[in-house]
Amino acid sequence: MMPEERFNVRHAHKPRRDAYGFALRPQYVQTYQEYAHIYKEEEDERSDKWKNFLEHIEKSSQSCSLEKAHTEELPAEATEQKAYREELQAEPTEQKAEIVSESDEEGNDKSSLKSISEGSSERDPKKEAQLPKETGKSKVQTWSFIRSSLSSIENMMSIRVRKQKNMKDEHIVVDKDHLPSIEEVPSQDAFEDGQEEDIYLDASSGATSVSNRESDGLKASGEDEVVDGGVCNSVQADQTKEDVANGIHPEPLFPWNQELESLVHGGVPRDLRGEVWQAFVGVKARRVEKYYYDLLAEETDPGESMDNDNSCGAFRKWRKQIEKDIPRTFPGHPALDENGRNSLRRLLLAYARHNPSVGYCQAMNFFAGLLLLLMPEENAFWTLVGIMDDYFDGYYTEEMIESQVDQLVFEELVREKFPKLVNHLDYLGVQVGWIIGPWFLSIFVNMIPWESVIRVWDVLLFEGNRVMLFRTALALLELYGPAIVTTKDAGDAIVLFQSLVGSTFDSSQLVLTACMGFLAITETRLKELRDKHRPTVLEVVEERARAKKWKDSKGLSAKLYSFKHDPTITEEKSTTEEESANGDVSQSKSDSCNLDEMLKGLSLSSELDSLSDPQDQVDWLKVELCRVLEEKRSSVLRSEELETALMEIVRHDNRRELSAKVEQLEHEVAELHQALEDKTEQEAAMLKVLMLVEQEQKVTEEARISAEQEAITQKHALYVLQEKYDKAMSSLTEMEKRVKVAESMLEATLQYESGQAKALSPRSLPGSTQGNPTRKIPLLSFGLGWRDRMKRSNDSKSTNEQSDPPIPQEETTPTPQEKTSPTPQEKTGEEVQEHVEGGSDTQVFD
Amino acid sequence: MGCSSSLPDRGSGRLVGPNVENGGAADAKNLRVKLVLLGDSGVGKSCIVLRFVRGQFDPTSKVTVGASFLSQTIALQDSTTVKFEIWDTAGQERYAALAPLYYRGAAVAVIVYDITSPESFNKAQYWVKELQKHGTPDIVLALVGNKADLHEKREVSVQDGMGYAEKNGMFFIETSAKTADNINLLFEEIAKRLPRPALSSSSSIQNP
Ligand SMILES: Nc1nc2c(ncn2[C@@H]2O[C@H](COP(=O)(O)OP(=O)(O)OP(=O)(O)O)[C@@H](O)[C@H]2O)c(=O)[nH]1
Ligand SMILES: [Mg+2]
C-alpha cells in the first residue's frame, strides 16, 4: 500500500532504485538484491508482531479509564476537523489505500506523494489558507489523523512533547534578553484576529509554537481531557512528566513500553511507519490548526512576502538556497516530480518561517523529502518541526553550535571505546570528525543504505533524543574499525570507511549492535559530556563573531548612512551592499532586521486596533509616522555613535587581545622549544645509554668468543693427549712383550750356560758366577724378577760390580765368546780392556 | 650487533614522517596532497570532483551535507604521480563554521565560483581571505570560474577573475564540469605548482 512496494515490483528485474524509490549505487546493486529477500522476511515477521501488539494494547487501554478519554477525544477531534475535512475518515488506512490505487491507475511513476501534492497545488495555497473550509472538497489529504490503534502510543509520546515544551518555555523566557532580534519578525505581520497573532508570537520563537496553549491546558488538566488524554489521573501525570524529563519512560502508565521498545528495535512495519513516526514525534500534541496554512499564506501573498523580503534579507537567502537544493534532493526519485517538489518547497519555506533561528539549512531538504514519502504534507511539516525543534535543537542554526558540540563529544567517546582505531587514525592523520561529521548532520541519510537509515530513524524518533545517533555511529566504528586499522594512508582509510559504511545493508545487525552494544551511552551521559565541551565551541564561535563584526563595521556604517538619507530604499540597498561587500552577511543582515523591527513594530498595531474611525486612524497614523521617523532619525544617530564607540572598543579589544595572544603564543613557542630541547637531551642520553649497552654487549661477546675458542683448543689438546696416551700405552705393551721375549731368551741362555758349566769343570765355577751378573745387568732395568735376582747376587759378590755400566753388545755375544774363548782368564782380560775404555779401574780385579 | 644497525633507522624514520610506507624511497616521485574545495553552494564543486574522479557529469548532483571525500591519482609528464585526497565541502554559509576542520592542513585549496553569479564570486573572495588568514602557510590557492559553458549567461568576466587571482598570487582557470573543459588541466596545473619535498622541505605535502 505504500509507494515503495510498487517501486520494488517495477524494478524487480533491473533495480536501479531500492524499495523506497531511492537510487542505488551500481556497486551495491548486487548486495542489495541479496538483502531484498531478507528485508521481505523481516517485514512479514514484524507486520505480525506489530499487529498483535497493537491489538493487545488497544484492549488493555480500554480496560483502563483511558477508554473515557479516548471516546471523548473523538468528538473533540471531529469538531476541530470539521472545517478541514468534510469527509472525515474514520479509518485512515482506507483512505491511503484509495490514494495508492488511484495512482496505480495513473501510472507507475505516480505515488501517494504525487497525488497529495497534486491536489494541494491545484489550488492556490493562499486560497487554501483563507478558505480552509474548501479543502475538504478536494479528495486529497494534506492532513490526516493517524489510526486509532496507535493512539495509546501517541498519547504516551505526547506527554513527552508537552513536558519538553514547558521546559523550553521557561528557557525562552529566561533567554528572552539574549534573543531579541530575528525571533520577532513575523509578529509585525498584521493578523486580523488576536488569537492568531497570539499563536504567531509563540511560533516565531521556534519551538514554542504551541506552548502557551498547551501549558495552559496542562495547568487545567482536569478540564481538558484531550490535552491530557491517556493519563489516568493528574497526579500520576505529573509523575510521568518528571520521569520523561529524566529520560525514564513512563512505565507504570504504559506497561507495554518495554515491549514497544523491542518492537521498535526490530523495525516498524512499512505501512505503519509514517503514522508511527508521527506518534513518536508527538505530532498531535504539536499541531496547531491552520498554522501551517497561515505560514503558506504568508509565503504566497505578494504584498506580505514582499514586505518580508525587504524587512529581512535572511529569508530571501533561504528561499534562494531552497530553490538551489530542491532539484538536488533525491534527484530522480519517482515521487519527487514537479508536484512532489512543490510540496517539498512549501514544507521547507513554511518551516523557515516557523523557526527563523534555523530558517533553512542544507540537510533539511533530505529530511523533509523523506517525511513526504511517508505521510501527508502537513503531517510531514509537524514531524519535521518536532525533529528540528526538539530532537536536533540548536543543531542546524546559523552557528551550528550543538552539532559542533556533539562532534567533540563523539570524539571523546571514540577515544574511550576504540583506542586502537583512534591511534591508527591519529597516525594516519585522519580526524574522526571528518568522517562522522557528515553522518551526524545528515542523520545517516545518503551515508548508509536506506533500509538502515530508516531503521535507525525508527529508534531515534522513538527515543526522542540523539542517543541513537551516537550509538549507530559507534556501531559503525565497531563493525568497520578492524578493517580500517589495516590501511596505510589517510586517503585509503577514508575511502574504505565510506564504502564499507555505504554497504551496511544488514540493518538489523546495525541496529542491534547500536542498541545492545552501547548501553552505557545514555542521554544523561551525553548531557554531561555536552556541558563539558560546549564552552570550547562557544569560545570559537564568539571569536569568529567578533572578527566578523570588526570586518562588517565598515559596511554597517555605510548602510546606516544611506538609511539616514533615504529611508525608503534603505532595506534593499543595504542588503545588496552587504552581499557585495563580503560573503558573510548574516550577522549584519540580522542587525538591520532588528533595527527595522524596533523602529517599525513599536506598539503600532495594537493601538491601531483601538481606533475605529478611519479618519482618526489616518490622523493617528500620520502622527505616529512622524514620531517614528523622528525616532528613526535619532536612533540612527545613536547607533552611529554607538558604532564608533563599538569600533573603538573593538579596536582596543583587538589590540589587547592580540598582544595577549602574541604573548601567549610566545609563551607556547618557548614551551615548545623547551620541550624540544628536553626531548633532544633525552634522546642523546638514550643514545649514550644505548651505546654503552652496546659496547658492554660487544665486550661480553668477545669474552664469550675467546672462551669458546679456548674451550675448542682445550678440547683439541685433550684429544691429542688422549692419542699420545694411547700410543704410549700401545708402545708399553709392545715393550712388555719384547721384555718377555728377551727374558725367556735370557733364561734359556742361562740354563744353557749352567748346563755347560756343570758339564765342563767345577773350577770354572767362580768364573761363571763372576761373569753372570755382568751379562745380566742391562736386562735387569726392565724386569723385576731380574732385579731381585741381581740383588741376591750383588749381596753375595762385590759391591763394585753394581756400578758397572751394562754393555748391551755383550748380551748377544756371550755364547760364541764362551765357545771360542773357553778360558776364564782370557775372558777377564777382554773384559778389563773394555772397562778401561769405559773409564773404570781394572786394578780392582787384580 | 642488531642494535647498532637499528639506530640509524630510527633517526631517518622520524625525519620522513609517518607516511613512508607507500612512498618509500620514491617519495619525491609519489606525492600525496590534501586538497579542499570551497565556494558558494551550487557553483559546482561536487560536479567538478565527480568529473575529475569518475569522469561523469550528473546534472542532478546531490546537495553536499557537511563534506564528502574522494581521491584520485594522476601521473605527470616527468613520471611523478600525485595522489589527490579531495575534500568537497558544503557550500551553505553556515557550514563555513565547519570548514576549518577540512581546510586545516590542506596543501591545496580550490576556490570555486560560478561565472553566472557575481554573488558566488564575492563568496570566493571571502574564502580567499579566510584561507590567507587561517590556511596552511604556503598553501597553493587556485581560483576556478566554473560553468564556463554557460557563457551566454556570464556575469563575471574572465578579466575580473584573472585580475583578482593575480593580485592574490593564485592560479586561475575557468572550467566546465558539464563539458569537462579544463577539469583535468586544473588538477595538472595544481600538481605542477606543488612544492616538491626534494627541493624544499615543505611538510604540507607529506603530512596531513
Ligand atoms: N551548466 C553547468 N552546470 C553545472 C556545472 N557544474 C555544476 N552545474 C550545475 O550546478 C548544480 C550544482 O552543482 P553542485 O556540484 O552540486 O554544487 P556544489 O558546489 O557542490 O553545491 P553544494 O554541495 O551545495 O555546496 C548541479 O546540479 C549542476 O546541474 C557546469 O560546469 N556547467
Ligand atoms: Mg556539493
Side-chain angles (χ1 to χ4, degrees):
Chain A
M1 73 167 294
M2 292 305 270
E4 44 267 31
E5 277 164 33
R6 280 177 297 112
F7 298 135
N8 204 14
V9 174
R10 181 152 44 100
H11 294 289
H13 51 292
K14 190 182 165 194
R16 263 171 292 117
R17 296 188 169 273
D18 65 13
Y20 298 92
F22 294 110
L24 278 170
R25 278 183 251 173
Q27 68 264 39
Y28 297 139
V29 169
Q30 179 73 33
T31 329
Y32 173 73
Q33 274 178 312
E34 285 163 27
Y35 274 95
H37 304 289
I38 299 173
Y39 292 161
K40 175 93 180 47
E41 273 169 33
E42 285 180 345
E43 181 66 28
D44 292 344
E45 197 181 315
R46 68 172 75 102
S47 278
D48 291 345
K49 275 192 194 161
W50 276 79
K51 205 171 140 237
N52 293 338
F53 172 73
L54 291 179
E55 273 166 15
H56 169 71
I57 61 165
E58 206 163 17
K59 258 182 230 150
S60 72
S61 75
Q62 272 158 12
S63 66
C64 179
S65 63
L66 267 175
E67 197 182 8
K68 189 186 146 212
H70 189 67
T71 44
E72 264 178 44
E73 207 173 313
L74 279 174
E77 270 174 26
T79 34
E80 262 176 42
Q81 284 303 297
K82 209 163 55 185
Y84 275 84
R85 303 186 297 173
E86 280 178 6
E87 314 157 356
L88 180 70
Q89 301 285 329
E91 199 50 70
T93 336
E94 239 172 65
Q95 193 188 13
K96 280 205 167 172
E98 211 171 273
I99 292 164
V100 170
S101 59
E102 208 176 79
S103 47
D104 269 337
E105 283 158 30
E106 277 166 13
N108 284 332
D109 269 302
K110 309 286 168 67
S111 69
S112 64
L113 172 64
K114 176 175 173 157
S115 37
I116 289 158
S117 47
E118 213 168 49
S120 28
S121 62
E122 272 167 19
R123 290 158 287 119
D124 181 355
K126 179 193 161 195
K127 232 168 54 193
E128 194 177 302
Q130 282 175 340
L131 306 162
K133 278 162 201 164
E134 281 180 16
T135 38
K137 276 186 185 166
S138 98
K139 279 183 185 166
V140 166
Q141 199 178 9
T142 46
W143 167 263
S144 88
F145 284 93
I146 64 175
R147 68 191 71 194
S148 58
S149 57
L150 292 172
S151 61
S152 297
I153 298 174
E154 189 172 39
N155 288 329
M156 180 172 91
M157 299 300 182
S158 297
I159 294 168
R160 181 163 79 189
V161 172
R162 278 193 293 276
K163 179 69 196 175
Q164 270 167 346
K165 281 207 178 111
N166 282 354
M167 277 162 49
K168 252 188 206 145
D169 237 8
E170 288 156 29
H171 188 67
I172 277 174
V173 169
V174 172
D175 271 0
K176 244 204 161 118
D177 296 343
H178 307 288
L179 304 163
S181 60
I182 216 159
E183 320 284 44
E184 281 156 43
V185 177
S187 67
Q188 50 144 342
D189 301 317
F191 289 103
E192 298 103 285
D193 119 24
Q195 201 208 333
E196 262 180 8
E197 197 186 343
D198 227 357
I199 294 164
Y200 264 84
L201 277 167
D202 292 335
S204 61
S205 52
T208 50
S209 54
V210 217
S211 53
N212 279 357
R213 269 180 150 204
E214 293 295 333
S215 51
D216 286 345
L218 274 181
K219 274 170 216 150
S221 58
E223 296 165 25
D224 195 339
E225 290 282 0
V226 178
V227 169
D228 262 355
V231 180
C232 290
N233 68 59
S234 55
V235 179
Q236 244 178 326
D238 285 341
Q239 180 57 49
T240 314
K241 272 175 256 155
E242 218 57 51
D243 288 348
V244 172
N246 296 330
I248 303 159
H249 287 291
E251 267 159 54
L253 281 172
F254 305 100
W256 36 262
N257 185 54
Q258 207 111 66
E259 198 184 338
L260 176 62
E261 188 179 12
S262 77
L263 280 180
V264 170
H265 288 175
V268 178
R270 218 173 265 171
D271 58 340
L272 282 177
R273 187 166 271 130
E275 290 170 62
V276 168
W277 280 13
Q278 290 175 56
F280 288 171
V281 176
V283 162
K284 201 180 88 184
R286 290 175 197 279
R287 179 166 185 249
V288 177
E289 244 183 90
K290 291 206 294 186
Y291 181 73
Y292 182 61
Y293 298 96
D294 289 338
L295 290 175
L296 292 182
E298 219 180 310
E299 176 60 30
T300 41
D301 186 318
E304 265 178 298
S305 69
M306 277 274 278
D307 196 34
N308 268 319
D309 273 10
N310 289 344
S311 66
C312 200
F315 199 82
R316 224 182 39 180
K317 214 166 55 178
W318 295 331
R319 182 180 295 135
K320 223 169 149 183
Q321 188 67 56
I322 290 170
E323 283 314 320
K324 274 185 201 168
D325 289 354
I326 281 173
R328 297 190 295 158
T329 305
F330 308 135
H333 192 287
L336 284 170
D337 55 4
E338 207 190 316
N339 293 311
R341 289 182 189 178
N342 288 337
S343 211
L344 181 61
R345 176 180 301 113
R346 281 196 299 274
L347 190 53
L348 292 172
L349 288 171
Y351 182 84
R353 283 191 188 280
H354 156 75
N355 185 1
S357 73
V358 172
Y360 169 72
C361 180
Q362 289 187 316
M364 281 168 62
N365 55 323
F366 293 118
F367 308 157
L370 172 58
L371 294 175
L372 278 174
L373 294 176
L374 297 173
M375 55 188 85
E377 189 175 318
E378 196 191 340
N379 298 57
F381 171 76
W382 289 108
T383 311
L384 184 68
V385 165
I387 294 170
M388 297 297 294
D389 294 356
D390 282 351
Y391 292 60
F392 286 82
D393 186 26
Y395 232 66
Y396 298 98
T397 54
E398 195 64 52
E399 309 290 2
M400 305 191 95
I401 288 167
E402 290 307 308
S403 116
Q404 294 181 61
V405 172
D406 268 11
Q407 287 209 17
L408 293 181
V409 170
F410 187 76
E411 216 168 306
E412 180 171 338
L413 289 174
V414 176
R415 276 183 196 282
E416 179 192 309
K417 305 255 174 223
F418 304 106
K420 206 176 147 199
L421 175 65
V422 171
N423 264 350
H424 188 70
L425 292 179
D426 283 348
Y427 166 77
L428 295 177
V430 174
Q431 287 193 28
V432 177
W434 294 350
I435 297 162
I436 60 100
W439 296 357
F440 274 37
L441 287 166
S442 60
I443 324 182
F444 298 107
V445 171
N446 294 326
M447 301 290 151
I448 54 180
W450 270 103
E451 182 75 18
S452 301
V453 171
I454 279 174
R455 292 283 303 276
V456 169
W457 279 55
D458 283 344
V459 180
L460 187 128
L461 296 181
F462 169 74
E463 288 178 346
N465 51 43
R466 297 197 295 273
V467 170
M468 189 58 184
L469 204 58
F470 284 84
R471 288 184 176 174
T472 307
L474 288 170
L476 287 169
L477 293 187
E478 176 157 302
L479 290 174
Y480 304 126
I484 301 309
V485 172
T486 63
T487 52
K488 292 235 172 0
D489 84 46
D492 296 349
I494 299 164
V495 166
L496 182 66
F497 227 138
Q498 281 183 348
S499 80
L500 286 174
V501 165
S503 64
T504 313
F505 281 96
D506 196 342
S507 41
S508 292
Q509 185 198 27
L510 176 66
V511 171
L512 226 72
T513 313
C515 292
M516 299 299 138
F518 300 97
L519 291 170
I521 312 296
T522 60
E523 184 67 3
T524 325
R525 174 91 203 281
L526 290 180
K527 191 181 174 305
E528 275 169 27
L529 290 172
R530 283 180 186 131
D531 290 344
K532 176 178 152 194
H533 287 288
R534 194 171 288 111
T536 326
V537 173
L538 287 176
E539 213 170 276
V540 176
V541 167
E542 269 160 33
E543 184 93 358
R544 280 180 82 91
R546 227 176 289 143
K548 233 186 243 176
K549 236 184 202 145
W550 172 236
K551 228 171 49 188
D552 287 351
S553 53
K554 240 191 199 164
L556 192 63
S557 63
K559 216 176 357 183
L560 288 166
Y561 179 80
S562 63
F563 191 20
K564 198 163 138 192
H565 288 264
D566 193 356
T568 49
I569 58 154
T570 308
E571 286 94 355
E572 238 184 65
K573 209 173 185 178
S574 64
T575 37
T576 43
E577 219 166 274
E578 277 163 6
E579 269 163 16
S580 55
N582 56 58
D584 233 305
V585 275
S586 62
Q587 189 77 27
S588 49
K589 238 176 219 169
S590 60
D591 283 351
S592 77
C593 278
N594 303 346
L595 198 57
D596 235 33
E597 245 44 80
M598 275 159 59
L599 296 170
K600 271 195 191 167
L602 286 169
S603 63
L604 210 139
S605 49
S606 57
E607 279 172 61
L608 194 61
D609 281 347
S610 61
L611 299 166
S612 47
D613 183 15
Q615 188 54 48
D616 278 0
Q617 280 193 5
V618 168
D619 286 347
W620 185 84
L621 271 174
K622 270 184 189 163
V623 173
E624 203 55 28
L625 188 70
C626 289
R627 193 178 63 81
V628 166
L629 280 175
E630 196 52 47
E631 246 173 90
K632 218 177 202 174
R633 219 162 286 145
S634 64
S635 299
V636 169
L637 282 175
R638 218 170 1 157
S639 63
E640 251 172 342
E641 269 168 37
L642 279 172
E643 200 198 336
T644 29
L646 185 78
M647 275 164 72
E648 262 316 295
I649 289 167
V650 168
R651 211 172 288 148
H652 271 284
D653 235 359
N654 231 34
R655 226 173 287 155
R656 224 178 302 141
E657 221 171 81
L658 277 177
S659 61
K661 232 187 196 168
V662 165
E663 230 168 79
Q664 200 194 326
L665 281 175
E666 271 169 5
H667 189 68
E668 265 171 38
V669 166
E671 264 176 17
L672 281 175
H673 268 294
Q674 188 59 44
L676 190 71
E677 259 166 48
D678 285 355
K679 276 270 159 66
T680 32
E681 249 168 57
Q682 271 180 10
E683 205 184 277
M686 287 285 272
L687 270 177
K688 243 183 230 167
V689 171
L690 267 170
M691 301 269 262
L692 276 180
V693 170
E694 205 187 321
Q695 235 153 20
E696 258 174 49
Q697 221 181 11
K698 253 186 204 164
V699 170
T700 327
E701 188 65 21
E702 270 162 26
R704 192 177 65 84
I705 284 179
S706 61
E708 252 172 33
Q709 268 165 356
E710 235 167 71
I712 288 171
T713 43
Q714 268 172 356
K715 242 188 209 164
H716 187 70
L718 190 70
Y719 175 74
V720 169
L721 277 175
Q722 183 71 36
E723 238 171 31
K724 269 187 187 166
Y725 173 75
D726 284 349
K727 256 188 210 160
M729 281 309 272
S730 61
S731 59
L732 189 69
T733 42
E734 186 98 344
M735 290 288 199
E736 261 172 18
K737 263 186 213 158
R738 273 161 70 180
V739 166
K740 267 182 195 153
V741 170
E743 209 178 312
S744 53
M745 268 169 66
L746 191 69
E747 227 153 295
T749 316
L750 278 178
Q751 267 171 1
Y752 170 78
E753 254 176 34
S754 62
Q756 257 200 345
K758 272 177 195 166
L760 284 175
S761 64
R763 37 163 201 150
S764 66
L765 235 153
S768 72
T769 44
Q770 233 179 4
N772 266 351
T774 46
R775 276 161 199 151
K776 279 167 191 173
I777 279 165
L779 296 169
L780 279 178
S781 55
F782 289 104
L784 280 166
W786 279 99
R787 178 154 289 197
D788 291 341
R789 240 180 278 174
M790 193 183 70
K791 253 185 193 164
R792 244 182 283 134
S793 58
N794 279 349
D795 287 341
S796 56
K797 309 291 160 155
S798 73
T799 47
N800 287 336
E801 280 180 12
Q802 267 182 345
S803 61
D804 278 358
I807 298 144
Q809 284 100 325
E810 284 181 6
E811 228 184 84
T812 50
T813 50
T815 330
Q817 263 185 351
E818 277 170 275
K819 276 174 188 169
T820 50
S821 49
T823 51
Q825 284 88 2
E826 280 180 54
K827 210 192 169 187
T828 4
E830 272 177 37
E831 272 179 12
V832 169
Q833 223 179 350
E834 280 170 28
H835 279 283
V836 172
E837 280 168 4
S840 46
D841 45 337
T842 44
Q843 267 121 357
V844 187
F845 285 104
D846 290 341
Chain B
M1 286 178 156
C3 199
S4 60
S5 68
S6 78
L7 276 177
D9 275 1
R10 239 162 47 102
S12 66
R14 212 181 308 115
L15 280 174
V16 182
N19 300 315
V20 237
E21 293 94 331
N22 59 329
D27 254 349
K29 292 249 146 195
N30 299 301
L31 302 181
R32 288 204 305 119
V33 181
K34 179 178 168 185
L35 181 151
V36 63
L37 276 152
L38 297 163
D40 203 0
S41 178
V43 296
K45 298 181 294 296
S46 302
C47 288
I48 290 175
V49 186
L50 284 177
R51 173 59 87 182
F52 172 55
V53 176
R54 303 224 176 103
Q56 304 164 343
F57 176 70
D58 186 357
T60 53
S61 62
K62 262 184 288 186
V63 172
T64 309
V65 174
S68 81
F69 180 87
L70 281 170
S71 93
Q72 173 75 313
T73 308
I74 60 168
L76 297 181
Q77 300 266 296
D78 60 351
S79 81
T80 56
T81 68
V82 179
K83 181 175 182 181
F84 286 106
E85 297 173 354
I86 305 167
W87 280 104
D88 171 24
T89 61
Q92 198 184 9
E93 205 167 291
R94 66 188 68 184
Y95 282 99
L98 309 178
L101 185 65
Y102 296 100
Y103 69 63
R104 217 178 288 129
V108 184
V110 175
I111 294 158
V112 187
Y113 67 90
D114 171 356
I115 63 153
T116 70
S117 158
E119 202 186 325
S120 74
F121 187 53
N122 287 330
K123 186 82 201 188
Q125 298 176 13
Y126 158 83
W127 280 117
V128 173
K129 282 180 203 126
E130 166 108 2
L131 283 162
Q132 285 170 344
K133 243 186 286 169
H134 303 293
T136 323
D138 298 333
I139 190 165
V140 175
L141 291 177
L143 183 65
V144 174
N146 191 38
K147 307 199 187 178
D149 56 294
L150 301 175
H151 40 79
E152 73 282 359
K153 287 198 208 155
R154 177 190 288 277
E155 289 199 38
V156 182
S157 69
V158 182
Q159 287 76 21
D160 284 355
M162 202 180 285
Y164 183 81
E166 255 165 37
K167 244 189 357 219
N168 289 278
M170 303 168 77
F171 168 65
F172 174 76
I173 197 167
E174 283 197 352
T175 60
S176 167
K178 190 176 178 181
T179 65
D181 264 2
N182 284 349
I183 297 289
N184 287 339
L185 187 65
L186 162 68
F187 288 91
E188 282 159 21
E189 288 298 321
I190 288 168
K192 283 184 201 160
R193 282 166 174 74
L194 294 171
R196 298 300 161 102
L199 302 174
S200 74
S201 58
S202 167
S203 61
S204 56
I205 299 224
Q206 277 303 319
N207 296 327

